[in-house]
Amino acid sequence: KAGVTQTPRYLIKTRGQQVTLSCSPISGHRSVSWYQQTPGQGLQFLFEYFSETQRNKGNFPGRFSGRQFSNSRSEMNVSTLELGDSALYLCASSLVQGEGEKLFFGSGTQLSVL
Amino acid sequence: SQQGEEDPQALSIQEGENATMNCSYKTSINNLQWYRQNSGRGLVHLILIRSNEREKHSGRLRVTLDTSKKSSSLLITASRAADTASYFCATDSSNTGKLIFGQGTTLQVKP
C-alpha cells in the first residue's frame, strides 16, 4: 500500500506570492490533517478534513486554507506569503475517526519564502 | 500553544543504554501517542496509549501514562544508533485528526 504522498517536496517562493500544496492520503483513509513545523514553534495544527468537510481548524490566519476532494486527496493554499511562512508542511491521513486513530505522515513539503 | 511539553529537549547516550523521555500535558485527553521523526522527514507513529491504560509495550519501547499527573514517559531500551531521531508526544482530546504535539526530544545515540 502506498504511503501518504506530498508534492512538491521543496518549494521556493517570494513574499506576496501564493502557494498550493498537495497531499494524497493512503488509499481508504478519509481524514487528512495538515501541520506546520518550524524550529521555533514546533508542530502546529492547521486543519483537518474528513469526507470533504473541514472538521477542525487551528489558530492560523485566513491566508491559510484547504480543501478535500471526493477521492480524499487534499490541498492547502497559502496566499500572500510572508517570511514567517517558511516551514515544513506535513500532511497526515488516518483511517477511522472516533477511536483515537494514529496518523500516517507524508515526508512533507519544505517551503522557503524569500 | 503546545499541549505537551517534553523533557529533556536533547539527550545524548551510548549505544546499548536506555533512553527515557518525558511528556507533560495540560488538559484531559482521550489518548496519548508517541511519534519519531528523522531529520527533515515525516513523523512515524510509535505507540498509542489510551487514557484508561497505565503502561504499554511495543518491542523495545515502553510507555507509561499517569493521568493524575498529566504526564507520560517513553523508554527505549538497549538503544541503537538507528534510534537517533526526534521524539514527539501528541495528545488527542477529540478523537479526530487534531493531535497536539509537544516540542520534542532530540535523541542522539552514539555508536
Side-chain angles (χ1 to χ4, degrees):
Chain A
K1 213 178 212 184
V4 177
T5 304
Q6 290 188 247
T7 57
R9 182 73 178 92
Y10 301 95
L11 205 49
I12 300 175
K13 292 286 188 179
T14 56
R15 280 180 299 175
Q17 288 187 309
Q18 75 165 26
V19 66
T20 299
L21 312 181
S22 180
C23 173
S24 293
I26 292 173
S27 178
H29 286 195
R30 295 168 63 190
S31 171
V32 174
S33 302
W34 288 89
Y35 290 81
Q36 180 197 65
Q37 186 177 27
T38 59
Q41 296 297 316
L43 277 148
Q44 300 280 341
F45 174 78
L46 280 157
F47 27 67
E48 184 242 352
Y49 288 87
F50 181 75
S51 294
E52 302 179 64
T53 301
Q54 185 182 87
R55 194 162 56 169
N56 282 298
K57 191 177 189 304
N59 295 323
F60 279 81
R63 300 185 297 106
F64 291 81
S65 63
R67 59 178 176 169
Q68 186 180 34
F69 302 95
S70 58
N71 62 357
S72 293
R73 190 177 71 85
S74 178
E75 290 181 346
M76 69 163 282
N77 185 77
V78 187
S79 62
T80 319
L81 283 166
E82 300 176 359
L83 296 178
D85 297 333
S86 294
L88 180 66
Y89 289 88
L90 293 164
C91 163
S93 72
S94 62
L95 180 60
V96 175
Q97 294 306 306
E99 297 178 1
E101 293 297 322
K102 63 185 181 182
L103 300 185
F104 293 82
F105 281 83
S107 294
T109 293
Q110 183 67 56
L111 172 65
S112 297
V113 182
L114 306 178
Chain B
S1 62
Q2 299 287 13
Q3 160 78 308
E5 297 296 331
E6 297 185 57
D7 169 59
Q9 288 189 343
L11 183 59
S12 181
I13 60 174
Q14 294 294 134
E15 207 166 28
E17 294 180 337
N18 295 340
T20 299
M21 290 158 261
N22 303 296
C23 167
S24 61
Y25 56 92
K26 298 174 184 174
T27 63
S28 61
I29 61 172
N30 293 317
N31 65 72
L32 186 144
Q33 304 180 35
W34 286 89
Y35 287 81
R36 183 188 74 212
Q37 184 181 34
N38 290 89
S39 181
R41 309 296 292 181
L43 283 75
V44 175
H45 180 268
L46 295 175
I47 196 164
L48 180 154
I49 185 165
R50 303 194 190 282
S51 61
N52 60 354
E53 297 175 310
R54 292 297 168 258
E55 187 171 312
K56 205 161 184 179
H57 297 255
S58 177
R60 294 183 296 112
L61 305 180
R62 172 179 171 250
V63 169
T64 62
L65 179 64
D66 187 335
T67 53
S68 66
K69 294 181 180 178
K70 291 186 170 57
S71 68
S72 173
S73 68
L74 170 67
L75 168 67
I76 303 174
T77 60
S79 63
R80 305 166 182 168
D83 294 328
T84 295
S86 292
Y87 292 82
F88 296 87
C89 68
T91 53
D92 183 351
S93 300
S94 60
N95 280 334
T96 66
K98 181 179 180 179
L99 292 186
I100 306 300
F101 285 84
Q103 292 282 6
T105 293
T106 299
L107 172 65
Q108 181 186 29
V109 181
K110 300 175 184 176

